[in-house]
Amino acid sequence: MTPQQLPPGARSLLAGRPEHSNLSPLSVHSMTVAYNRKPVLWDVDYDAPAGSLIAIVGPNGAGKSTFIKACLGLVPRASGVVEFWGQPYRAARSRVGYVPQREAVDWDFPVSALDVVCMGRYGRIGWLRPVTRGHRRAASVCLERVGLGGLAERQISQLSGGQQQRVFLARALAQEADLYFMDEPFAGVDAATERAIVDVLRELRSRGTTVICVHHDLQTVPQYFDHVMLINMRVVAAGAIGVAFTSENLQRTYGGRLTLLAEASEAVARAERGS
Amino acid sequence: MIEPMQTPGVWEILTLRGGHNTTVVLVGALLLGVAAGVVGVFAMLRRRSLVADAVGHATLPGICVAFLIANAMGVEARSLAVLLPGAAVGAVLGLLAIQWMTRATRLTEDAAIGAVLSVWFGVGVVMLSAIQGMDIGNQGGLKSFIFGQTATMSERDARLMGGVALLSIVAVLVMFKQLRLVAFNDDFAASIGVRVALVDGGLMALVVMVSVAGLQAVGMLLIVALLIIPPAAARFWTDRLGLLALLSGVIGGAAASIGALVSARMDRMPAGPAIVLVAGVFFVVGMVAAPRRGVGAGVLRHLGVRVRVHADHTLSRLRLPGPHHVASVMPSGVIGRLVRLVLARRGWIRSEGSMVALTDAGEAAAVLAERRRRLWQRYLVRYADVAPSHVDISADAIEHVIDPVIVATLEAELAAESSAGSGA
């Protein structure tokens, strides 16, 4: 959990930035991403505060998933620098975990829940080594933490949508990372799963882990998260909930989408009452 | 080089007494089938089955060019050592063309595959006819690469085929973990540092190896069947990847060796179609008969659901004041007869002539079914956003599907509602 010191001789590319610190698990500087000449993210600057739960919020097509994928190098960046604890992703990879969108995979794939969770250990197992019993044990502990202890041998197509989402979360836990990117873990899940995910997020925070989470439900943002990043192709606002999650910022993020705004202002009001 | 094979009887071949050559060819075909089955599983899961088809077709121009070059240099042009590398080069060029087209243009992959497959093959056929028009000796065997011919295989050819097949099986075992990870979730694989392009490249290399190795025995047109059908057939039977690969290998091996046997036995029968037909039998059997994933199981499952739903409806109709005529409470036809059979078996109804009534046990069952239905309806209304994926109206108990806390809440609501209703 303590940030790694840079190896001697290596210098963070962002060290000159005033607001930047090597303590930050994620630092993004003037990142631009484009698909086929169409820009998706413009000039994004962001420093994630360590040990907090951060929501990424914005309308459809705002580039929320793209932000995560560009940070992880899964889509090419047109420009910009991304650093993790002052290091490039390649050097920090073992400390970063990723939960893709549930729709990203074929759930009819012939593997069991435990097989999927074991994939979270592959980074430390290496190319030619088999998955040992120790790794499988670690993986089943992660399944128990998300409340799926009894379903380890179940084929993944036999799980409900919420259970599938929890399998993904367990795989991320098996990575034992210090920073997590989660792409819509709450999308379309049942109440039991939502509770299980929130519990896990809080447990992670209590250990000093940082979680960056694409989140759709504006109502629960103040309840589940400490920080928020509002994006719509660029960063509209970012900061602690009390500072950045205001109706004015939401208006600027979502434009004139009124139904959403009514929902949002309600959530903001609740956040203000809470603080 | 090409010695016409004497044709021993099937029994002699099966008991490995059909002559050394036949035995070697058979073992080679067996290994090839196993390798194709095992490699094919990952090609299928990674959705690369059609690319494998293009690979097969794309070998033809490579073979022709290799033949011409070898002939010009005065080397023995019919030798596999010359032709197979040519085939591999042709296949790899085809693959690269597909990859380049999908990246550089807006064509989708299927269009690129179709274009490469037909153009490469067309070029190959043109070259083949040109070669046949030339005065070059020893070219007759070239045509056998299209449909495959085990009857003309020499022992050396068979050993080569078996060796390459064995090598690909070992390679799959070594890469198993990575292949599975990339096929399931490539983005996650990339995020933990797996080089996805390298793993995909490895898989494609294996497809090329198997296809080229099988050219002589199965032929370029149908080698793809050996890569696709065994995995698809095996998928009906299991949800475990390890078992799937094993089963697919067994089916592939069985199809290849049986087909090769038939082709070796009948001089004019090309091996490719014989092998594909045997594999097809495995596929059809799995499709029809497999439990859970098969068509037959699907029909039965659907029938079961219909009977359950109609039985529920019948129970609630029978709770209304009687007497009840069978025709007025039960559906007609097969379903109706099944419903009546099921309810009578459980002792829930008794019938006299064409009249039916609930028994005491039936009354209790009807009450339970009613409660279940109400709970589900309430659940659908309350949790509309997540509900549809969970709903199973006639499941035995809602508690098996839905979180118990939610069920308790719903029941409390129902109870409050019905007491308010009786008060009014």
Side-chain angles (χ1 to χ4, degrees):
Chain A
M1 254 97 314
T2 49
Q4 277 172 10
Q5 291 303 308
L6 285 176
R11 225 174 68 86
S12 164
L13 287 165
L14 301 181
R17 258 165 95 195
E19 75 278 19
H20 173 75
S21 105
N22 276 350
L23 290 171
S24 179
L26 170 71
S27 304
V28 179
H29 180 57
S30 68
M31 179 171 81
T32 295
V33 182
Y35 291 131
N36 291 330
R37 289 195 303 162
K38 211 171 118 202
V40 184
L41 284 172
W42 271 113
D43 237 6
V44 173
D45 273 277
Y46 187 66
D47 279 273
S52 46
L53 304 181
I54 303 157
I56 302 180
V57 166
N60 286 337
K64 304 183 292 282
S65 296
T66 304
F67 173 77
I68 289 183
K69 288 185 177 176
C71 287
L72 295 174
L74 300 178
V75 298
R77 300 188 284 267
S79 71
V81 182
V82 177
E83 287 183 351
F84 299 80
W85 299 279
Q87 295 177 312
Y89 184 61
R90 280 159 63 94
R93 199 150 51 202
S94 63
R95 302 177 65 196
V96 181
Y98 174 42
V99 178
Q101 276 185 31
R102 183 155 57 88
E103 288 78 27
V105 306
D106 168 18
W107 288 94
D108 196 33
F109 200 85
V111 287
S112 68
L114 189 66
D115 288 336
V116 175
V117 179
C118 282
M119 290 176 187
R121 314 287 296 180
Y122 282 14
R124 50 190 80 213
I125 294 175
W127 255 91
L128 295 176
R129 303 246 174 78
V131 182
T132 61
R133 198 170 295 170
H135 288 297
R136 294 183 80 81
R137 242 197 322 272
S140 39
V141 169
C142 296
L143 266 178
E144 274 156 33
R145 277 170 72 188
V146 299
L148 295 181
L151 301 180
E153 292 306 317
R154 191 74 72 87
Q155 203 258 327
I156 53 174
S157 69
Q158 310 283 320
L159 300 171
S160 75
Q163 288 167 339
Q164 290 171 348
Q165 188 67 60
R166 279 190 267 169
V167 168
F168 260 11
L169 188 65
R171 179 176 70 178
L173 292 177
Q175 292 186 270
E176 293 177 11
D178 297 322
L179 167 67
Y180 283 107
F181 289 95
M182 302 190 183
D183 204 341
E184 304 219 24
F186 291 102
V189 299
D190 54 286
T193 299
E194 182 144 350
R195 268 201 312 276
I197 299 176
V198 171
D199 287 348
V200 167
L201 291 185
R202 296 199 169 138
E203 187 194 330
L204 287 172
R205 177 175 55 188
S206 71
R207 299 178 181 194
T209 307
T210 309
V211 181
I212 299 175
C213 211
V214 173
H215 195 58
H216 243 127
D217 182 13
L218 290 175
Q219 305 231 34
T220 50
V221 168
Q223 199 183 333
Y224 294 166
F225 297 95
D226 319 314
H227 281 254
V228 69
M229 179 184 183
L230 297 158
I231 59 179
N232 191 352
M233 295 178 73
R234 64 204 164 81
V235 179
V236 177
I241 294 288
V243 180
F245 197 63
T246 63
S247 28
E248 194 198 339
N249 282 340
L250 283 167
Q251 177 110 36
R252 288 202 294 151
T253 311
Y254 283 86
R257 280 163 244 208
L258 287 173
T259 46
L260 274 169
L261 280 179
E263 231 179 80
S265 54
E266 197 186 311
V268 169
R270 240 182 304 128
E272 279 162 0
R273 273 201 307 276
S275 59
Chain B
M1 279 290 127
I2 316 164
E3 37 191 302
M5 195 179 279
Q6 70 278 46
T7 49
V10 174
W11 179 245
E12 281 153 358
I13 296 173
L14 279 179
T15 50
L16 304 184
R17 281 182 287 134
H20 187 57
N21 197 13
T22 316
T23 309
V24 173
V25 169
L26 208 61
V27 172
L30 178 78
L31 284 173
L32 175 78
V34 174
V38 171
V39 170
V41 163
F42 292 96
M44 173 182 80
L45 291 174
R46 188 67 180 139
R47 298 173 197 274
R48 288 290 190 278
S49 298
L50 275 183
V51 182
D53 199 11
V55 165
H57 284 74
T59 53
L60 187 54
I63 291 173
C64 293
V65 171
F67 179 84
L68 287 175
I69 292 176
N71 194 66
M73 287 168 59
V75 191
E76 167 56 65
R78 250 285 294 158
S79 142
L80 282 190
V82 173
L83 297 184
L84 292 196
V89 170
V92 169
L93 286 178
L95 276 179
L96 291 177
I98 292 171
Q99 212 170 57
W100 174 78
M101 274 197 240
T102 29
R103 283 216 192 118
T105 71
R106 293 189 166 212
L107 281 182
T108 51
E109 199 183 23
D110 55 338
I113 291 172
V116 166
L117 182 150
S118 43
V119 169
W120 254 245
F121 191 62
V123 169
V125 170
V126 168
M127 291 178 75
L128 194 61
S129 2
I131 289 174
Q132 280 169 335
M134 289 187 236
D135 187 26
I136 304 177
N138 218 356
Q139 45 163 275
L142 279 188
K143 252 185 139 175
S144 74
F145 284 118
I146 294 181
F147 283 117
Q149 191 84 54
T150 42
T152 58
M153 267 179 100
S154 73
E155 191 184 317
R156 236 182 53 203
D157 296 350
R159 279 182 197 282
L160 183 66
M161 172 170 82
V164 174
L166 206 57
L167 201 66
S168 355
I169 297 170
V170 172
V172 168
L173 292 180
V174 170
M175 288 171 64
F176 191 87
K177 197 155 53 84
Q178 266 67 27
L179 286 170
R180 166 165 71 183
L181 176 63
V182 168
F184 176 60
N185 195 345
D186 50 359
D187 267 359
F188 181 80
S191 85
I192 63 170
V194 172
R195 280 194 271 169
V196 174
L198 202 65
V199 176
D200 276 339
L203 178 59
M204 277 303 115
L206 287 172
V207 168
V208 171
M209 270 168 69
V210 169
S211 303
V212 170
L215 272 182
Q216 212 185 5
V218 189
M220 66 189 62
L221 287 189
L222 293 173
I223 183 71
V224 63
L226 208 47
L227 283 158
I228 294 180
I229 300 178
R235 188 71 186 88
F236 286 118
W237 299 95
T238 177
D239 279 332
R240 302 268 143 175
L241 185 53
L243 202 56
L244 177 65
L246 187 73
L247 201 56
S248 174
V250 168
I251 293 176
S257 42
I258 296 173
L261 193 71
V262 171
S263 166
R265 185 106 176 79
M266 307 193 218
D267 264 347
R268 306 206 143 213
M269 167 70 101
I275 289 173
V276 171
L277 281 180
V278 178
V281 170
F282 280 104
F283 179 82
V284 171
V285 168
M287 186 170 76
V288 173
R292 276 195 347 95
R293 295 186 82 95
V295 175
V299 169
L300 283 182
R301 219 173 13 246
H302 185 65
L303 200 67
V305 169
R306 285 180 65 186
V307 168
R308 249 166 37 180
V309 169
H310 279 295
D312 273 4
H313 287 180
T314 303
L315 285 179
S316 54
R317 279 191 212 109
L318 283 172
R319 286 191 71 202
L320 299 172
H324 299 285
H325 195 270
V326 172
S328 66
V329 289
M330 286 186 196
S332 56
V334 182
I335 299 283
R337 255 173 281 156
L338 283 173
V339 167
R340 195 167 169 186
L341 195 71
V342 166
L343 292 178
R345 269 264 179 96
R346 294 190 178 167
W348 288 352
I349 54 170
R350 55 170 189 274
S351 43
E352 288 159 31
S354 60
M355 307 304 284
V356 280
L358 284 176
T359 61
D360 288 346
E363 183 79 28
V367 171
L368 262 177
E370 181 68 21
R371 164 187 170 267
R372 217 161 57 208
R373 208 165 48 85
R374 289 238 184 124
L375 279 177
W376 276 120
Q377 279 171 350
R378 184 141 275 269
Y379 177 75
L380 276 173
V381 175
R382 275 283 301 269
Y383 301 94
D385 48 341
V386 294
S389 66
H390 298 279
V391 170
D392 183 357
I393 298 274
S394 61
D396 286 337
I398 186 170
E399 291 87 348
H400 291 174
V401 189
I402 304 300
D403 191 54
V405 181
I406 295 179
V407 174
T409 321
L410 293 172
E411 279 195 319
E413 282 180 17
L414 269 184
E417 211 168 69
S418 62
S419 67
S422 61

